[in-house]
Amino acid sequence: MASRIADILHRAKVIDDLQLRSAGAHQAQWGGRFPTIVIEKKFASEEKVVEAISQAMRLPKVDLANVEADPAAVAKLDADFCKVNAVFPCALKDNGKTLWLAMVDPTNLPVVDEVALKTKTRINLVVASEKQVQAAIKRGYYGDVAPAAQAFGGFAIDLAVSEEEEGKIVDMSGHTLIKNIKDIEAQGRAEAAAKAAKAAAAEDVAFKDPKPGMVTGALQMLDDMFGPEDEAGPGWSEEDLARLRTIQDQQEKGARILRAVLDLCVAKGYFTPDDYRQKLKKSL
């Protein structure tokens, strides 16, 4: 059975069926990381492999050859651990609370969990090739010098991501490791526009008369877009459905927060429920 990372490369058409079996047999006999085997066997270029993983998992990719070592980040992990697991601590952010970690195989969640436990930080992942990771380890831990290196986050990586996006990157359940979620979202966007009025009405009812077990307006909107979560669309995989459930959970959380804010505003007399409904109707 193909590993998750092997399946990603195969679905992205980076490797074909024969190359999938060949790389898998090599890994079973000799060990090693699947992306590196694909590159070493010249089935695909380093750039193509990293790009496919980055796109499928919706994680940033980084060119470690241009990244300066961050002493504070490097001090969080020892060199042997990094070499064995093909990871490199790129940067320590948020006053030491967040560690940006480059990985060859970001689907290896046990390693991510172990890094989080060792460093006592929140882990944000970026994708890099094993060649770049091992070279970065030599520079960061053994003093090799990289020409024209820049501080991490100064070029290709946008660190100013939203809180929700950061949550997706560090999802330890693996629900975010979906390649075609953008296609799924695009498919539902057209239907969502036509059904916005119905969704708004459902949210209005939820605001006026909330009851235990009632579906929130945001969750109702998702059902209108995609159908109830237990009704699988044609050709959707279990991973697609898991991703949709994650979106539903996030939207439901947002709806609960909005409801709490609205209740507080009404309680303090900033506006009435009728004011809110009239404003909502005007904005649609």
Side-chain angles (χ1 to χ4, degrees), residues 133-156:
V133 167
Q134 297 298 345
I137 291 171
K138 289 181 180 179
R139 293 193 302 273
Y141 290 95
Y142 303 109
D144 286 8
V145 178
Q150 303 176 44
F152 180 84
F155 46 100

Side-chain angles (χ1 to χ4, degrees), residues 59-135:
L59 294 174
K61 60 181 180 179
V62 63
D63 183 358
L64 289 176
N66 295 322
V67 175
E68 287 180 352
D70 180 345
V74 168
K76 287 288 185 178
L77 295 171
D78 62 74
D80 289 339
F81 177 87
C82 292
K83 285 190 288 187
V84 169
N85 293 287
V87 300
F88 181 73
C90 298
L92 199 60
K93 301 291 182 180
D94 302 330
N95 295 319
K97 296 178 182 178
T98 301
L99 179 68
W100 286 81
L101 184 74
M103 291 189 73
V104 176
D105 181 0
T107 67
N108 194 340
L109 298 182
V111 170
V112 179
D113 289 339
E114 187 173 358
V115 172
L117 187 63
K118 282 177 174 288
T119 62
K120 295 180 174 59
T121 61
R122 178 180 184 176
I123 307 301
N124 283 350
L125 300 179
V126 293
V127 186
S129 70
E130 183 155 7
K131 179 180 178 181
Q132 288 198 356
V133 167
Q134 297 298 345

